[in-house]
Amino acid sequence: MITTEYSVAGPAGISIAIVADLHEFEPKPVLSRLSEIRPDVIAVPGDLFENHEYGENLDKEDDSLISRLLCRIIHLANRLAGLRWRQKHRCSKQNAYDFLMKASEIAPVVMSLGNHELYLTEEDKAVLASAKVTLLNNSTVEIKNVLFGGIPSKQITGKIDTEFLRRFSDLPGYKVLLCHHPEYYDKLKSYPINLFLSGHCHGGQVRICNHGIFAPGQGLLPRYHHGVYDGRLVVSSGCANTASIPRFGNEPEVVVVRVGGSQPTQWPTSHKIWLNRNITSM
């Protein structure tokens, strides 16, 4: 696992750690990084849990026949290999609960819902409440003079709540939106929101010359797969490898965004920092 840091121009002076796509995997490596980083806020833009049914989380907006066929093949392979992978990696709901409880001791945690979170159980909700995690489900919270909003996957709601986005955009101050799907950005970028935090595509799973090969919802050679786009959209490669197809050229990562920062911080030697970029936001 690597740590990737971006410095973003802005008035807030706040550090945000992005923990995307943990998928109920062992959280100890992520928690260890967070303990060293000590961010002001921990943002979880979806797919912490695995509350879904295989085949129900295909993105219907990708109209490419080849892309949809590949997506279905990948989901079928994952379904067939699912039990083996879950046993091998000890993937379990308790891992997600442990992450929430321990991460909230490090910094305030905000979370939005991804396509693997079609529902939350009563136990899930109880743990979220006990850990004092703020679930941003078309809702807003202010932390350290920054407004955090979150929208759920359209695969949960059927549509993007544009009324919430309008209200959120009208609020004064620096605004950060958690949105699991980076492919939604083309429809969201017209809103005056300063920063978008996403995951979902696992860096393209296979990355060649630092470009992802395939992502659900975007198909082959996805536009938004990993990194920063337009100085506003930050896409994490995710914190776990849940697919039966191994990652290639694409290590799991914890992303740190420093709003109002200058140069990237020099982390302890236990970190591998591949990308240090200074970017400009709205």
Side-chain angles (χ1 to χ4, degrees):
M1 179 172 291
I2 63 173
T3 302
T4 306
E5 181 178 352
Y6 305 104
S7 292
V8 181
I14 188 173
S15 60
I16 306 168
I18 305 175
V19 178
D21 300 284
L22 191 57
H23 290 282
E24 297 183 359
F25 269 51
E26 170 58 59
K28 288 181 181 178
V30 175
L31 291 167
S32 176
R33 291 296 169 93
L34 293 175
S35 295
E36 294 177 338
I37 295 165
R38 288 288 164 182
D40 294 307
V41 180
I42 298 169
V44 182
D47 281 8
L48 173 68
F49 293 111
E50 286 284 273
N51 297 336
H52 74 108
E53 296 295 332
Y54 285 105
E56 291 185 4
N57 56 349
L58 298 176
D59 196 311
K60 299 176 177 60
E61 288 198 349
D62 185 2
D63 58 1
S64 165
L65 179 60
I66 294 176
S67 296
R68 288 185 61 78
L69 179 61
L70 281 172
C71 193
R72 290 184 180 277
I73 290 173
I74 290 170
H75 276 274
L76 178 60
N78 288 342
R79 183 174 185 178
L80 293 174
L83 181 59
R84 176 178 62 84
W85 275 77
R86 291 181 70 87
Q87 290 175 340
K88 179 180 177 180
H89 294 280
R90 297 184 175 89
C91 177
S92 72
K93 181 66 69 72
Q94 188 59 49
N95 286 337
Y97 293 162
D98 288 346
F99 170 79
L100 291 172
M101 298 302 296
K102 294 174 182 177
S104 63
E105 296 175 358
I106 298 171
V109 180
V110 294
M111 176 181 169
S112 64
L113 297 175
N115 58 297
H116 277 250
E117 287 145 340
L118 292 174
Y119 57 89
L120 291 178
T121 67
E122 292 305 314
E123 186 179 11
D124 297 340
K125 295 174 184 177
V127 172
L128 287 167
S130 177
K132 295 183 173 58
V133 173
T134 302
L135 181 61
L136 297 173
N137 191 11
N138 291 320
S139 57
T140 307
V141 67
E142 182 176 343
I143 303 175
K144 293 186 178 291
N145 298 317
V146 172
L147 293 169
F148 289 87
I151 60 174
S153 170
K154 286 196 298 181
Q155 294 174 32
I156 299 173
T157 61
K159 63 180 182 179
I160 295 174
D161 189 337
T162 56
E163 178 59 28
F164 163 73
L165 288 171
R166 185 192 62 77
R167 295 195 309 271
F168 182 58
S169 299
D170 288 344
L171 295 173
Y174 193 90
K175 293 176 282 290
V176 178
L177 184 74
L178 278 65
C179 171
H180 183 64
H181 297 264
E183 66 269 24
Y184 293 0
Y185 177 67
D186 287 335
K187 295 183 178 180
L188 300 177
K189 62 185 178 182
S190 61
Y191 291 93
I193 295 170
N194 301 90
L195 199 61
F196 299 85
L197 309 180
S198 296
H200 182 52
C201 56
H202 296 208
Q205 193 68 21
V206 172
R207 203 153 63 224
I208 299 175
C209 297
N210 204 35
H211 199 292
I213 300 303
F214 177 82
Q218 297 183 69
L220 293 170
L221 301 178
R223 181 178 180 184
Y224 308 119
H225 54 90
H226 166 257
V228 180
Y229 303 87
D230 294 344
R232 301 172 67 197
L233 171 64
V234 181
V235 183
S236 168
S237 289
C239 296
N241 181 24
T242 61
S244 53
I245 300 172
R247 286 176 180 251
F248 177 82
N250 174 28
E251 288 194 48
E253 66 175 354
V254 173
V255 174
V256 182
V257 180
R258 295 193 176 275
V259 180
S262 53
Q263 296 298 317
T265 302
Q266 294 300 311
W267 299 112
T269 54
S270 60
H271 292 264
K272 291 175 62 179
I273 306 176
W274 282 11
L275 297 173
N276 290 328
R277 300 179 184 174
N278 293 314
I279 63 174
T280 302
S281 69
M282 284 181 64

